Amino acid sequence: MKSEVELQHFYEEEFRALLEPLEQYRLANVRRVRLFSYLALVSVIISGLCILSELSFLVVVFIIPTFFFLGFAFQVLLKLSAHLTKQYKYEILPKLLGFLYEDYEYIARQKIAKSVLEKSMLMSRHLVSVEGEDFMRFRMGDASIMFCEAKGVSDLEKVVFRGIFISASFNKNFTSKTFVLPKKFSALREKVKISLQYDFAQVKLEDAAFNSKFSVYGSDQVEARYLLTPSLMNRIMEYQRKTKRSISFSFVDNKLYCTIPQYNDLFEPTLFKPFNFEFVMENYTPLKLYTDLVEDLNLNLQIWSKE
């Protein structure tokens, strides 16, 4: 992935020009929204003055335009949002991804399949449906990583998970199942344990700092320790510090899965904020964070052989 310095050069030399037409369109329509909103406010104020002046019969004359002005403002907002979203997700964001990564795939309205989320065994309940968007897949060296914004819903219409779901290739061969879960989510640990449909034991590790933040469960104590080397445990703790979230990991069928709770929509255009370098950085930062998982966990290094 390109560095922030390289991104700055790209923005100044090329990307700013791509964003400028979108910014001008945004500004023009925001001015229209503000105008209609001001007119609606003026109508409300005049209506209030009519009431205070015992001229109630004039209220209808001024209050009716209020609804028209608010309706116009709402229509402009809807049109603005739809246009910015379409242009950004289908024209602008792919160009940014193409600059940052050599090998990528992006599908705006695609999500990771429900079967993949279930395979991770990190969902606390049976999933009935999965909503999601902004599917991204990257090939980085010998590893691949894919993620999307996802919301998993159970049969009770309860949101089981909302955030970033990540699936990455892992250059280790393993047949057991291992789970690294936030220490404070004891209830989640039990739910995951039930979802396994068989007992698995807590794995005792020698890293006190890691044990204070995470609980590890697995179906094979030896293989769990083989997976969670001291270096990998350090990288997981560092990754948690970067995300500032209660992240969870699972190692299932030669895949690494990661869930990162997230309640704000990412990779979305903003209606009332300019399309400037700060906006670009708001997209660059999470991209770097999630794809850094490959490098941070050494997934792209053939330090373990697959047989």
Side-chain angles (χ1 to χ4, degrees), residues 21-287:
L22 210 57
E23 174 63 7
Q24 293 304 315
Y25 180 86
R26 185 192 70 83
L27 288 174
N29 282 275
V30 166
R31 284 193 290 266
R32 293 178 63 197
V33 170
R34 287 173 176 166
L35 174 61
F36 289 134
S37 299
Y38 291 151
L39 291 174
L41 178 60
V42 170
S43 296
V44 170
I45 292 173
I46 294 176
S47 298
L49 292 175
C50 288
I51 294 174
L52 293 175
S53 303
E54 298 183 353
L55 299 174
S56 301
F57 65 93
L58 292 177
V59 170
V60 175
V61 176
F62 293 100
I63 202 66
I64 291 178
T66 301
F67 294 103
F68 282 103
F69 292 140
L70 290 176
F72 290 148
F74 185 67
Q75 287 180 3
V76 172
L77 276 177
L78 288 179
K79 182 180 178 181
L80 175 61
S81 177
H83 180 78
L84 293 183
T85 298
K86 181 179 179 180
Q87 291 297 309
Y88 180 69
K89 287 183 176 288
Y90 293 94
E91 300 293 336
I92 303 299
L93 184 54
K95 288 183 172 61
L96 177 62
L97 293 171
F99 168 74
L100 296 174
Y101 303 95
E102 294 181 359
D103 189 350
Y104 81 95
E105 178 185 11
Y106 170 62
I107 308 176
R109 298 305 178 192
Q110 181 68 26
K111 62 182 182 293
I112 294 177
K114 180 168 75 76
S115 60
V116 178
L117 271 71
E118 291 174 331
K119 190 175 182 179
S120 74
M121 304 178 77
L122 288 173
M123 303 298 111
S124 58
R125 292 172 181 241
H126 173 70
L127 296 179
V128 171
S129 64
V130 173
E131 302 172 11
E133 61 178 357
D134 292 324
F135 172 87
M136 300 185 188
R137 186 199 305 272
F138 304 93
R139 169 68 62 177
M140 307 175 72
D142 294 325
S144 65
I145 179 172
M146 64 179 181
F147 63 83
C148 75
E149 293 182 276
K151 182 173 75 172
V153 181
S154 72
D155 53 355
L156 300 176
E157 296 188 354
K158 179 180 177 62
V159 176
V160 175
F161 170 75
R162 181 176 180 180
I164 302 297
F165 181 85
I166 300 174
S167 172
S169 62
F170 196 66
N171 290 316
K172 279 191 174 183
N173 232 4
F174 49 90
T175 58
S176 63
K177 297 175 174 63
T178 302
F179 299 84
V180 179
L181 305 170
K183 194 76 172 182
K184 63 181 180 180
F185 286 134
S186 58
L188 175 61
R189 294 201 305 267
E190 294 306 314
K191 291 174 182 177
V192 172
K193 183 175 181 178
I194 292 172
S195 75
L196 282 174
Q197 299 179 355
Y198 57 82
D199 289 334
F200 66 104
Q202 184 168 8
V203 179
K204 302 296 184 181
L205 301 169
E206 297 180 358
D207 191 321
F210 189 84
N211 290 334
S212 68
K213 295 184 178 297
F214 296 96
S215 292
V216 179
Y217 291 83
S219 57
D220 187 315
Q221 292 271 333
V222 174
E223 194 162 69
R225 295 191 186 93
Y226 166 72
L227 286 167
L228 295 169
T229 62
S231 174
L232 183 54
M233 286 188 285
N234 288 334
R235 290 175 182 274
I236 289 176
M237 287 192 290
E238 179 60 27
Y239 195 68
Q240 184 188 48
R241 283 191 286 269
K242 287 182 178 181
T243 62
K244 299 179 182 178
R245 295 286 191 273
S246 297
I247 59 176
S248 302
F249 291 89
S250 66
F251 301 83
V252 179
D253 295 336
N254 293 327
K255 294 285 187 179
L256 180 148
Y257 301 99
C258 177
T259 57
I260 306 174
Q262 176 73 39
Y263 300 99
N264 299 324
D265 289 334
L266 302 174
F267 314 115
E268 297 291 337
T270 54
L271 302 183
F272 297 102
K273 293 176 64 177
F275 287 97
N276 53 20
F277 187 69
E278 181 180 349
F279 169 74
V280 174
M281 284 301 299
E282 289 176 356
N283 289 263
Y284 172 81
T285 300
L287 282 171

